[in-house]
Amino acid sequence: MSFLMNMPVYSFNIPRIYSAVAEWAAAVMYVSLMPTNRKRWQRILMTVVFLFWQCAWLLLTQDLPLLFWIPSMAAAIAWIYLFLRTMTGERRTICAGTCMSAFLLAEFMASLEWQIEYFGHLQSIPVRAAVAAAAYAAILSLFYFMERPMKKSPYVEMLTRRQVLSILILGIITFLLSNLSFVYANTPFSATLERDVYYVRTLVDLCGVVGCYALRRQIVQMNEEKDLVSINAMLRAQYDKYRAYQQNIDMINIKYHDLKHQIAGLRAETDSQKRSAWIDSMEKELETYRPEKQTGNQVLDSMIDAKRVTMQQNHISFTCVANGQLLDFMHVTDICTIFGNALDNAIESVSLLPDPEQRNIHMEVLERKGFVFIEVTNYCDHAVPLGRDGFPLTSKSDRVNHGFGVKSIAYSAKKYGGSTKFGTDGKSFYVRCLIPMQKNPA
């Protein structure tokens, strides 16, 4: 504590120990809002090591010439980024944006606390420590509840490099303006009075923190709106596919019955062995495309018929145990969305398998304790990674513009108060929806 006793209370410069503790506390607060796969003892050890390292680094570099001030602060920011990256394992873009938010929040915390000490003429070390702890705790608690809904949002993962770059630029400008007055006093933007230096620095830091939060919030909302537009487009696409296929089915039914009568007439007219073999071949081919009416729900039957052709072309085995009447309360669009996307994803997955014996899909629609249980499973011999929202991470390189199929399934189930779960079970990947049964039809 000797460095605190010798520290000048009325110095413009915020004590480095205050900044170090603030940066550590802000980083720990953001880590608590982010998913991590570290064990408890690892998190505790890394947190303690980061605290001592950040304090040691800022104290060792406090007497360096002004020329090395910015590089030393840049290194301090880099330690925050490294701490976030090591603790959470999140993508670089997410950690970079979070790192700048944590650094700006720490700057504001340290500046506000040091301003309170200046105006209160606090000399006692226990009092100053208590004031610092109270100020930091109050600010961190406030921002924790502000950040919690946004950090838990799956749309945070959709941050692009350009959006993160905007956050970084805002943070750098805020940091430079807030420290301009006590670094270079003779500029058009510098404060000259001691009282104004404290006030301007705290105010600029506050504006930077709020501006950074608002920018990130706006980016998340933009991603959310973009996602919703894409989901609605997929809903319409699945419904359009159903309508188009239903029209084709009607035409096929007409042709089916017409050909049945034609074949009966041909059989009556000739006993030629060659003609008979040809007629048998026609009947067999017609059986392949015969509409299946097995579930009791016309929409579900049409969706199965539409996908059955693709399954046959890819030599996919399909089994179904479904009571389609349980879906009568659901809108046509939602039935098309749930089963159309689930079957499309399953077909796409098993079509890539080299072994035809592994190309199998199973679907169930059953009643379970007042709920409609929907499950579509397909063969899968590897674990499928899931995002923080529980959705499977797309294997495509462009994650931003893919993965809307699983989101639209969950969106349709949620409309009826239901839930959706994705995962692997043994050698199968499953999509499960649990929807409360409703008496009134949609």
Side-chain angles (χ1 to χ4, degrees):
M1 301 294 290
S2 60
F3 57 88
L4 284 176
M5 298 179 64
N6 299 326
M7 185 175 56
V9 179
Y10 303 117
S11 171
F12 281 172
N13 295 325
I14 300 174
R16 287 297 189 96
I17 189 65
Y18 284 17
S19 298
V21 173
E23 291 168 4
W24 169 82
V28 171
M29 187 271 287
Y30 277 101
V31 165
S32 67
L33 295 173
M34 302 169 70
T36 178
N37 55 1
R38 296 288 181 179
K39 297 181 179 179
R40 181 180 179 84
W41 70 267
Q42 292 176 327
R43 296 198 300 269
I44 295 175
L45 178 61
M46 294 171 63
T47 300
V48 173
V49 170
F50 176 65
L51 172 61
F52 281 100
W53 174 257
Q54 199 74 354
C55 293
W57 173 258
L58 291 183
L59 289 175
L60 289 173
T61 58
Q62 65 180 349
D63 296 326
L64 292 178
L66 184 61
L67 180 64
F68 298 97
W69 173 66
I70 292 182
S72 65
M73 294 304 297
I77 299 175
W79 306 142
I80 299 176
Y81 171 82
L82 184 62
F83 175 70
L84 294 173
R85 182 91 167 138
T86 305
M87 286 284 286
T88 65
E90 287 279 12
R91 293 188 295 117
R92 289 189 295 269
T93 51
I94 298 177
C95 288
T98 305
C99 172
M100 184 54 67
S101 299
F103 178 71
L104 288 180
L105 180 60
E107 285 289 297
F108 169 66
M109 291 164 53
S111 178
L112 177 63
E113 197 283 329
W114 191 236
Q115 185 177 356
I116 294 174
E117 285 196 16
Y118 167 75
F119 282 96
H121 298 283
L122 303 181
Q123 300 288 342
S124 172
I125 292 178
V127 173
R128 287 156 58 185
V131 170
Y136 287 3
I139 297 173
L140 288 173
S141 299
L142 174 63
F143 276 88
Y144 177 85
F145 288 104
M146 290 176 58
E147 292 277 1
R148 185 176 182 180
M150 183 165 57
K151 296 300 293 184
K152 296 296 183 181
S153 172
Y155 300 99
V156 174
E157 296 183 346
M158 299 171 60
L159 291 176
T160 63
R161 293 182 179 180
R162 182 173 298 180
Q163 292 169 342
V164 173
L165 181 61
S166 301
I167 297 174
L168 296 179
I169 292 175
L170 176 60
I172 293 172
I173 293 175
T174 301
F175 175 71
L176 294 178
L177 288 178
S178 65
N179 291 278
L180 183 64
S181 296
F182 70 90
V183 175
Y184 296 106
N186 190 20
T187 70
F189 306 100
S190 300
T192 56
L193 298 178
E194 182 180 20
R195 185 187 187 96
D196 294 340
V197 171
Y198 288 94
Y199 174 75
V200 170
R201 180 170 55 192
T202 303
L203 183 60
V204 171
D205 286 337
L206 175 61
C207 292
V209 171
V210 174
C212 184
Y213 172 82
L215 178 60
R216 290 168 49 245
R217 183 68 179 175
Q218 184 182 18
I219 292 173
V220 170
Q221 289 179 347
M222 288 174 56
N223 291 336
E224 185 176 7
E225 293 173 359
K226 180 182 177 181
D227 210 11
L228 186 59
V229 170
S230 300
I231 290 176
N232 288 331
M234 183 159 288
L235 294 177
R236 291 192 298 269
Q238 286 291 345
Y239 179 71
D240 291 341
K241 288 181 181 179
Y242 160 74
R243 294 296 300 171
Y245 182 77
Q246 189 61 46
Q247 293 175 0
N248 293 334
I249 283 294
D250 294 338
M251 295 180 62
I252 291 174
N253 287 338
I254 295 174
K255 294 293 183 181
Y256 179 83
H257 290 289
D258 289 346
L259 288 174
K260 279 284 188 180
H261 293 301
Q262 293 176 14
I263 291 173
L266 288 173
R267 283 190 180 277
E269 291 178 3
T270 179
D271 292 330
S272 170
Q273 184 175 0
K274 186 176 181 180
R275 180 63 61 86
S276 179
W278 177 71
I279 292 174
D280 291 340
S281 177
M282 288 182 60
E283 284 185 324
K284 185 177 180 180
E285 184 177 356
L286 286 173
E287 276 301 308
T288 303
Y289 294 97
R290 180 175 61 86
E292 298 286 346
K293 303 297 181 184
Q294 58 182 4
T295 69
N297 185 282
Q298 181 181 357
V299 180
L300 182 57
D301 289 336
S302 298
M303 293 302 302
I304 294 175
D305 290 337
K307 309 305 178 184
R308 191 183 298 274
V309 177
T310 305
M311 294 179 191
Q312 291 174 348
Q313 293 174 348
N314 290 275
H315 307 286
I316 298 173
S317 173
F318 176 71
T319 56
C320 177
V321 179
N323 181 3
Q325 295 179 350
L326 298 174
L327 307 175
D328 289 344
F329 67 92
M330 296 180 64
H331 193 272
V332 175
T333 305
D334 298 313
I335 298 176
C336 295
T337 298
I338 292 176
F339 293 95
N341 285 295
L343 290 174
D344 283 344
N345 292 338
I347 292 172
E348 181 181 1
S349 176
V350 299
S351 296
L352 302 176
L353 298 175
D355 186 1
E357 295 295 328
Q358 297 176 346
R359 299 178 189 172
N360 54 74
I361 300 174
H362 179 71
M363 186 178 77
E364 291 185 0
V365 181
L366 307 171
E367 179 183 359
R368 288 189 177 179
K369 298 181 180 180
F371 289 84
V372 179
F373 174 76
I374 301 171
E375 182 180 65
V376 177
T377 61
N378 60 270
Y379 181 86
C380 182
D381 58 358
H382 62 277
V384 178
L386 303 178
R388 70 175 67 186
D389 51 7
F391 296 158
L393 296 177
T394 178
S395 57
K396 300 178 175 64
S397 57
D398 185 8
R399 292 188 177 183
V400 176
N401 297 315
H402 291 92
F404 295 111
V406 295
K407 292 180 182 178
S408 61
I409 295 174
Y411 177 78
S412 294
K414 189 176 180 181
K415 288 168 60 176
Y416 301 92
S419 60
T420 307
K421 186 177 181 180
F422 305 86
T424 52
D425 184 9
K427 294 291 185 178
S428 299
F429 175 81
Y430 62 83
V431 180
R432 293 171 183 165
C433 295
L434 201 61
I435 304 175
M437 295 185 61
Q438 300 178 19
K439 296 182 180 180
N440 296 328

